Amino acid sequence: MAKKKDKQHDEASPAARPPQTEAGELPKMKRKEYEAQMRLLHGELVAMQEWVKATGAKVCIVFEGRDTAGKGGTIKRITERVSPRVFRVVALSAPTEREKSQMYIQRYLPHFPAAGEVVIFDRSWYNRAGVEPVMGFCTPQDTERFLALVPAVEKAMTDDGILLLKYWLEVSPDEQTRRLKSRIDDPRKIWKLSDMDLKSYSRWYDYSRARDAMFAATDTAWAPWYVTRTDDKMRGRLNIISHLLSQVPYKPLPHRDITLPRRQRPGGYTEPDLPLRYIPTPF
């Protein structure tokens, strides 16, 4: 890794963390510190992006976890400063009747990364190990078969040169309750509170059992699960992005010496008097 990157990771090491509270937990991160650290990580994500483009690397990132654990917010922070032509987010809707008749993994295959791409799955084929069995959308035999077969599929992916990273975001029961309640009266968040979320809320331990079985069957040497606690969303996002960067063997490319070209002369051009429709300016 580059020296700059190593220094950044050293700054985020346990020795450099703020003192813990009496309960053994780190104090809630301040917004100013969070944004300063995120700015550094965004620069590294851009460096990683340019390396992926230049080398033709293929990166596949899977985000799974508890409802309200912060998958969507983490993905937004990863992608907000990089190119959507390189970083693609895949969030598939419920399968169609045709897709239900296909091999289970089939509808995910077209979204796997090609050379020079980073594909992020906001939930993935692991629906078959979590929400589907818990909510009764598949049989226990379906899940058992999936768990038996998926390690071989992921081995084929990594053997083909795909760097596969799987993240599980974990949140406490109390924090999940707080976040769900906060969505009820907030017009910015109400769209996140689906009927499925309400049904899922009561099945905490069913999800726990499903998660444990998934880890036991699919935490492999070639595609391990990485777990992070996200009760503190800001620390969780920083930790995930920092870890992601540590797993991709990128090296920042040499900085280009860029000079803006001189603009052309107007050549007699004048603004025409057109009846343009300007929007109102209440701000």
Side-chain angles (χ1 to χ4, degrees):
M1 296 291 182
K3 290 183 178 179
K4 179 180 179 181
K5 184 180 172 188
D6 289 340
K7 181 181 178 182
Q8 172 196 309
H9 288 166
D10 290 343
E11 291 172 351
S13 65
R17 292 177 182 173
Q20 293 185 335
T21 64
E22 290 183 3
E25 297 179 355
L26 294 170
K28 189 173 179 61
M29 178 170 273
K30 302 296 185 182
R31 174 66 62 173
K32 184 175 181 180
E33 179 189 0
Y34 169 66
E35 293 298 344
Q37 293 294 334
M38 188 63 73
R39 181 182 178 88
L40 294 174
L41 293 176
H42 278 157
E44 292 296 325
L45 283 168
V46 171
M48 171 187 143
Q49 168 186 271
E50 297 306 296
W51 176 84
V52 167
K53 288 164 54 180
T55 62
K58 298 180 287 187
V59 182
C60 183
I61 307 169
V62 169
F63 279 100
E64 296 286 346
R66 300 276 191 182
D67 289 338
T68 78
K71 296 179 293 295
T74 300
I75 292 170
K76 285 181 180 178
R77 294 314 307 251
I78 290 172
T79 59
E80 66 182 338
R81 295 292 181 176
V82 292
S83 171
R85 295 180 179 85
V86 179
F87 281 72
R88 290 195 294 111
V89 178
V90 177
L92 299 185
S93 57
T96 64
E97 289 302 315
R98 181 176 183 276
E99 288 172 333
K100 289 178 182 178
S101 71
Q102 295 174 341
M103 181 175 65
Y104 178 74
I105 196 70
Q106 190 169 338
R107 75 185 188 120
Y108 296 97
L109 295 176
H111 301 284
F112 285 3
E117 291 183 342
V118 178
V119 174
I120 301 174
F121 281 93
D122 184 355
R123 294 204 181 276
S124 66
W125 48 95
Y126 280 101
N127 280 338
R128 180 54 51 99
V131 64
E132 290 188 12
V134 171
M135 301 306 296
F137 297 149
C138 70
T139 67
Q141 292 74 25
D142 290 334
T143 298
E144 184 177 346
R145 176 173 172 78
F146 168 80
L147 293 176
L149 294 178
V150 73
V153 174
E154 294 177 350
K155 185 66 162 61
M157 293 172 66
T158 57
D159 284 349
D160 195 57
I162 295 176
L163 175 57
L164 177 59
L165 299 171
K166 303 186 302 190
Y167 289 100
W168 176 270
L169 279 61
E170 186 68 34
V171 68
S172 68
D174 290 345
E175 181 62 15
Q176 185 186 66
T177 299
R178 188 195 69 78
R179 291 178 186 179
L180 286 172
K181 286 182 175 179
S182 75
R183 295 176 179 181
I184 295 174
D185 299 316
D186 191 332
R188 302 167 301 169
K189 299 178 181 179
I190 190 63
W191 65 273
K192 295 182 177 182
L193 193 61
S194 67
D195 292 340
M196 184 69 66
D197 292 327
L198 297 176
K199 291 178 182 177
S200 298
Y201 176 75
S202 65
R203 303 183 183 181
W204 176 272
Y205 292 105
D206 287 343
Y207 274 103
S208 296
R209 294 183 185 95
R211 175 204 60 197
D212 296 346
M214 180 188 74
F215 285 164
T218 65
D219 183 33
T220 59
W222 53 91
W225 280 101
Y226 297 108
V227 181
T228 183
R229 297 190 177 278
T230 57
D231 278 27
D232 186 333
K233 283 187 177 180
M234 289 188 285
R235 290 193 189 280
R237 290 169 185 166
L238 293 175
N239 289 334
I240 290 169
I241 297 173
S242 177
H243 182 269
L244 187 162
L245 290 166
S246 75
Q247 297 301 300
V248 180
Y250 74 96
K251 293 183 179 179
L253 302 182
H255 184 71
R256 293 184 297 160
D257 186 12
I258 300 174
T259 302
L260 292 176
R262 182 178 297 178
R263 280 209 178 111
Q264 65 181 156
R265 295 181 180 277
Y269 175 81
T270 57
E271 293 279 353
D273 186 15
L274 297 175
L276 301 178
R277 295 177 178 82
Y278 288 98
I279 66 169
T281 55
F283 303 104

